[in-house]
Amino acid sequence: MNIDGAVPAEMTAIAIPAPGGPEALVPERRPVPVPGESEVLIRVAAAGVNRPDVLQRMGKYPPPPGASDIPGLEVSGTIVAAGSESRAVVGQRVCALLPGGGYAEYAVAPAGQYLPVPDGYDIVEAAALPETLFTVWTNLFERAYVVEGDTVLVHGGTSGIGTMAITLCRLFGIVVIVTCGSDEKCEQARQWGADHAVNYRTQDFVAEVRRITGGQGCQAVLDMVGGDYVPRNIECMAEDGRHVSIAVLGGPKSTLFLPTIMAKRLTLTGSTLRSRPVSFKTLVAEELMRVVWPMVAEGRLRPAMDRRFPLAEAAHAHARMDAGQHFGKIVLTV
């Protein structure tokens, strides 16, 4: 194993001794993880904060078998050790998608799930890329196969997922309509690049989508709400439209009118990312490296950044996410 001799035996990590509110996140000392033959050890510079971390903290989203119980699904930093089957270079700056373990000074990542951080790219911003980029790419561009000229509806327009969807749609010539919970957030979304933003508290997004599209509807919907949003989303869709569910924050059950789905020839699908095998995520990383990463290297693709908190203040970071006032990504710095 290739290893940096400065790696310590212990590190500070954020644990969840018992489910609860933000205060359930507690710093504690843990052994530094040892990478397997096809893994790398990263000295963490920053870790992204995501909604699945919040659900894990609440006891509603346990880590998959074999994953660390430490929360955190994405990090950026420097490779300090690599297994013998990894072609990683010790000392390389990277960002990585993880099954868990990111809220710590060191984290292990599968060798196929990291991407190089370009020279000059903010290493803290890089921590905010993997989770949302992998999620939006696989669901909006692969499962919903959107193409230039399509119109898509994305809920949660100022979230990490929403802002990444706006960015990618702008880069690939796709019209994006987002929903947000206030006029202020709608304006922020438009400034970030959304073509249209709808305040779902004061406007009927179904009527707005019809107005914006001239009654045609949108070709794809990226939905993280579920519940009663799904039948309303279907009303927004054009013929042969694709609906992708990636979360059920508004409830896991929906009542659908099947004749509408049949008449419009709609496709309803969905996915989760965390439990997918390393082989799948490696293929996604390779595709991102070919298609998207040149835009990262050119500085054309950057994440929308909200606030940075020190690792020890993970509870404050989660309190901000719980309040729902953030725009873009919250990160923890190490």
Side-chain angles (χ1 to χ4, degrees):
M1 177 181 292
N2 192 2
I3 186 166
D4 183 332
V7 176
E10 290 190 341
M11 65 179 183
T12 298
I14 303 298
I16 309 172
E23 70 283 351
L25 299 173
V26 179
E28 64 178 41
R29 297 296 289 176
R30 290 282 190 97
V32 171
V34 177
E37 295 305 298
S38 300
E39 294 179 325
V40 296
L41 178 65
I42 299 170
R43 181 186 293 121
V44 176
V49 177
N50 294 284
R51 187 64 60 181
D53 304 339
V54 172
L55 296 175
Q56 180 175 335
R57 185 202 77 212
M58 298 168 66
K60 297 180 179 180
Y61 191 31
S68 171
D69 65 330
I70 298 169
L73 302 178
E74 59 183 349
V75 298
S76 63
T78 304
I79 294 176
V80 293
S84 61
E85 296 180 10
S86 167
R87 289 178 287 181
V89 177
V90 170
Q92 185 178 17
R93 298 196 324 156
V94 299
C95 59
L97 183 71
L98 314 176
Y103 289 15
E105 293 178 311
Y106 292 84
V108 166
Q113 291 179 203
Y114 74 80
L115 292 161
V117 176
D119 292 340
Y121 203 95
D122 186 335
I123 193 69
V124 175
E125 283 193 15
L129 287 173
E131 173 68 14
T132 55
L133 184 53
F134 275 67
T135 297
V136 174
W137 186 259
T138 56
N139 287 288
L140 197 55
F141 287 79
E142 292 184 347
R143 300 194 72 80
Y145 48 92
V146 294
V147 296
E148 183 177 358
D150 280 351
T151 297
V152 303
L153 171 64
V154 178
H155 294 296
T158 57
S159 67
I161 294 290
T163 52
M164 179 57 72
I166 291 170
T167 298
L168 287 173
C169 286
R170 185 179 71 243
L171 290 171
F172 285 92
I174 296 157
V175 177
V176 60
I177 306 168
V178 300
T179 63
C180 308
S182 70
D183 289 341
E184 179 185 10
K185 285 193 171 187
C186 285
E187 180 57 29
Q188 287 178 309
R190 283 189 288 266
Q191 290 181 5
W192 187 249
D195 296 283
H196 307 275
V198 179
N199 183 342
Y200 63 82
R201 298 185 190 278
T202 60
Q203 298 172 285
D204 177 359
F205 71 79
V206 177
E208 286 301 298
V209 169
R210 285 175 178 160
R211 179 186 65 79
I212 292 166
T213 63
Q216 178 184 1
C218 55
Q219 280 70 47
V221 177
L222 184 64
D223 179 55
M224 61 186 76
V225 182
D228 62 4
Y229 263 47
V230 178
R232 297 171 68 193
N233 292 339
I234 288 173
E235 291 185 59
C236 296
M237 296 172 70
E239 291 185 353
D240 297 302
R242 291 82 67 190
H243 183 287
V244 187
S245 297
I246 59 171
V248 289
L249 299 177
K253 296 182 179 181
S254 302
T255 300
L256 306 179
F257 187 62
L258 295 179
T260 300
I261 297 172
M262 296 159 59
K264 290 186 175 183
R265 303 177 302 280
L266 303 180
T267 299
L268 275 64
T269 184
S271 74
T272 58
L273 181 61
R274 190 178 189 182
S275 60
R276 299 294 292 273
V278 171
S279 57
F280 170 79
K281 297 174 188 175
T282 298
L283 290 174
V284 176
E286 292 171 353
E287 184 171 10
L288 291 173
M289 189 69 189
R290 290 193 308 270
V291 181
V292 178
W293 221 243
M295 299 177 183
V296 175
E298 294 165 2
R300 298 167 60 201
L301 195 160
R302 307 193 83 96
M305 299 296 289
D306 184 71
R307 285 184 57 183
R308 306 178 183 196
F309 293 85
L311 179 65
E313 296 181 13
H316 296 301
H318 273 230
R320 180 163 178 79
M321 179 163 277
D322 285 356
Q325 298 304 309
H326 60 291
F327 176 82
K329 293 300 292 283
I330 300 168
V331 296
L332 303 175
T333 57
V334 180

